[in-house]
Amino acid sequence: MANQQKLIACNDTLDGSDNYRKFEIESKTNRVTFLLLGVGMLLPWNAMLAAMDFFKEEFPSFEPSFSLLVAVSAPMFGVQAIAFFFLQYIPLHIKVTFMFMLSTAITFGLVLIPLCVADEATAYWLVIVLSLLFGSAYAILQAALYGLAGPAIGLLNNLNLGIGISGLSVNCLRIVVLATVESNTVGAQIFFYTTGVYMLVCSYLAWLFV
């Protein structure tokens, strides 16, 4: 039943004799799915950038505008190499789904830890750890999704389009938040909670369609 669901999700259909018709990798379903996954791939990163004023308020003794960016960027190359050599034996749909689920947990943690942990230094280093984990998860997710979409130009284009839409949508939301919300804390909660919910949707889509 699970295999049948995967095939149907890729726009395979059943004829009267229960035989599958020709597999269509660039089906409309897959195009929409890769567009949505592209939006989600960088959404937590865009939320971090949009909520940087929140991190500056929460960690005045540190420089989160620099350290958080380094923490996300630093592990990307090394983790991609590890993913290429050691994670190639893990099924792609498991990698993609798990990375989206991990990114979901990280997204909620990035806003909840500064609000719930009283000690500034402890909260800061926990956020740094989450940022390192997100950079690692993004590296694996990027390799997996581009590997999946690579043979199909339509899917690759939709994935890249989704990445662009992600940045544009967060920037538009930031403009609205800056114009209507005075508190950086409330603004950060809007960014991260909406991002977290969307990442949950991406986790579900990845499990169904990848």
Side-chain angles (χ1 to χ4, degrees):
M1 186 65 179
N3 291 334
Q4 180 177 340
Q5 185 181 37
K6 297 281 183 191
L7 291 170
I8 292 173
C10 292
N11 202 33
D12 284 334
T13 55
L14 294 170
D15 58 23
S17 60
D18 289 335
N19 293 319
Y20 289 108
R21 294 178 183 173
K22 185 179 179 180
F23 177 76
E24 299 178 20
I25 191 171
E26 291 195 46
S27 65
K28 291 182 179 179
T29 301
N30 281 349
R31 286 174 178 266
V32 173
T33 299
F34 270 77
L35 175 67
L36 296 175
L37 295 181
V39 172
M41 190 164 66
L42 271 179
L43 203 56
W45 170 252
N46 291 323
M48 288 179 67
L49 295 178
M52 193 56 67
D53 290 338
F54 163 73
F55 291 116
K56 290 179 180 179
E57 280 188 358
E58 293 295 322
F59 308 126
S61 302
F62 301 91
E63 296 183 8
S65 58
F66 172 76
S67 57
L68 291 183
L69 303 187
V70 172
V72 172
S73 303
M76 287 185 179
F77 177 77
V79 171
Q80 282 185 336
I82 293 172
F84 179 79
F85 288 107
F86 298 105
L87 300 180
Q88 57 182 314
Y89 304 106
I90 301 176
L92 282 173
H93 79 277
I94 292 180
K95 276 195 291 190
V96 174
T97 303
F98 180 76
M99 288 305 119
F100 270 117
M101 292 176 65
L102 178 60
S103 296
T104 301
I106 291 171
T107 299
F108 286 118
L110 285 171
V111 69
L112 289 175
I113 286 175
L115 297 177
C116 297
V117 178
D119 183 69
E120 179 189 353
T122 301
Y124 172 78
W125 288 111
L126 286 174
V127 168
I128 289 293
V129 170
L130 289 182
S131 299
L132 288 167
L133 286 175
F134 171 69
S136 302
Y138 170 72
I140 296 173
L141 194 58
Q142 182 186 51
L145 285 177
Y146 275 102
L148 282 169
I153 299 300
L155 299 187
L156 189 61
N157 289 340
N158 276 30
L159 186 64
N160 289 327
L161 178 61
I163 293 173
I165 291 174
S166 174
L168 178 63
S169 61
V170 172
N171 285 332
C172 291
L173 178 60
R174 187 169 188 270
I175 292 173
V176 174
V177 169
L178 288 175
T180 59
V181 177
E182 295 183 1
S183 170
N184 288 325
T185 299
V186 174
Q189 288 177 308
I190 293 172
F191 293 132
F192 284 110
Y193 292 156
T194 54
T195 297
V197 171
Y198 187 87
M199 297 300 285
L200 281 175
V201 173
C202 286
S203 301
Y204 179 70
L205 290 175
W207 181 253
L208 283 182
F209 296 112
V210 173

